[in-house]
Amino acid sequence: MLCGVKRLLNSSAIRCINFQLENTCHRTMSVTVDPMIESEINVNKRPMLDDGNDNEAKIQKTETETVQRIKRKNHAMMLSYLGKDYYGMQRNPGMKTIEEDLVAALLKADLITSEHFENIRAINFQRAARTDKGVSAIRQIVSLKLPENPDKAVINQHLPDVIRVFGIKRVTKGFNSKNQCDARTYRYVIPSFAFAPEDPSLLKLGEEVSEDERIKQVSVVDGKPYTDYRLSPESLNELNSILKLMEGTHNFHNFTSKTKPLDPRARRYIISFNCVETFVSNGLEFAVLEVKGQSFMLHQIRKMVALVIAVARNLVSKEKVNEAFKMDKLEIPIAPSLGLCLCHVHYDNYGKRYGADGLHETLDWKECEEEVEKFQKQYIMRHVVDTEISEQTTLKWVANLPEYSFSSIDEICEDVDEKEETVDYI
């Protein structure tokens, strides 16, 4: 009897416990599905990213982090370009420049990120020379950090035909294409008739003559059309003697703008300056002037060429060159940009120190010579010759050369009060 009671109590207790458990589970499930409580819980939850822009931003961030993890090494890149229709080498917001096209091509080739595109300093980008508007380059050098084994062919796929990358080499970690450059060589290609002496009886320096009359005067040299003019051995020797006056260390404040005579930056060292060759194209003879210096200022070479032409044409004496190195500010015009071209960037000291260490190469780019020369003839020289013949660039510039007195600014102000634009042009 007692055992039966115990079994009955145990059965009742078990049923009671099961009932309580069922109620507890039911209350718990009710809490989970209760709309009011669920709403409160959802308020505290982190919302999911439904927005397309947020998803895109998240993807871009992931891609950027992936690219940034790629190991980058310092490289030197050699490129050639035709300066026509470009506002110089250096990037300039809103302007068409060589660097803008180059960096855009690197981005499309997946060699840099969009952040690098906006801030090229992040990849230590540096140009060896900053060419001006319209100025071309046969061998321009830039240094920058790129992934290992970059393919120049892929870069060129995204560049216009007038810009070509011809070589990429690994360089030392601290290499800087501008700071470690020993010297730069430029060439200036110009029709040789520009150096033909003027007939002194036809004009006086500073005297105004109609443009049409002046063009007629300079279109005839020694009784023949200017296109027939050829530099004689004597004329070539005389030209080289004038060019040599520019060699050495001088104060070139008169050959740039906004630089004071006492500014130490005006002192520049010209290693050599001479006429290296002449050639005839389409019946017109051209002279190739080559100037090598440690560095150059804005418009310096073009003003040097302008003064040399003035001396060769007997518009001013040779003494004017030495006078230009003195303190007085002279009025010297700027020769056209058409014929100016960056030819070589020299890294002799770098080559001696690292070129034979087994890890790095010299930066003379001899292995690219054939391709570079082909580009130069096909684009740069053809443009110079065709433009000279079709637009008579040098002929018109030479015709206006006597408008400049090559005198000091004080003398200009006294003698030519009305020609304020000439003074402002300096």
Side-chain angles (χ1 to χ4, degrees), residues 232-246:
S232 65
E234 295 77 19
S235 298
L236 182 58
N237 289 336
E238 177 63 18
L239 172 59
N240 278 321
S241 70
I242 302 170
L243 295 171
K244 194 170 182 63
L245 297 174
M246 299 282 186

Side-chain angles (χ1 to χ4, degrees), residues 192-290:
S192 61
F193 73 82
F195 304 105
E198 289 261 14
D199 184 350
S201 65
L202 295 178
L203 57 90
K204 292 182 180 180
L205 198 62
E207 184 179 279
E208 290 189 13
V209 182
S210 68
E211 183 177 354
D212 292 340
E213 184 179 348
R214 274 295 296 156
I215 290 178
K216 285 182 180 180
Q217 289 177 358
V218 299
S219 295
V220 178
V221 181
D222 297 330
K224 299 178 182 180
Y226 71 95
T227 53
D228 293 345
Y229 181 80
R230 302 291 183 267
L231 272 174
S232 65
E234 295 77 19
S235 298
L236 182 58
N237 289 336
E238 177 63 18
L239 172 59
N240 278 321
S241 70
I242 302 170
L243 295 171
K244 194 170 182 63
L245 297 174
M246 299 282 186
E247 295 179 356
T249 301
H250 302 286
N251 188 333
F252 284 93
H253 74 96
N254 272 313
F255 297 87
T256 187
S257 59
K258 299 180 181 179
T259 301
K260 302 295 182 181
L262 297 179
D263 191 332
R265 293 174 298 177
R267 293 192 67 80
R268 303 284 163 147
Y269 175 47
I270 303 301
I271 299 169
S272 62
F273 196 9
N274 59 333
C275 179
V276 294
E277 65 172 307
T278 60
F279 66 91
V280 178
S281 181
N282 293 354
L284 186 63
E285 183 183 68
F286 289 81
V288 181
L289 309 183
E290 187 173 278

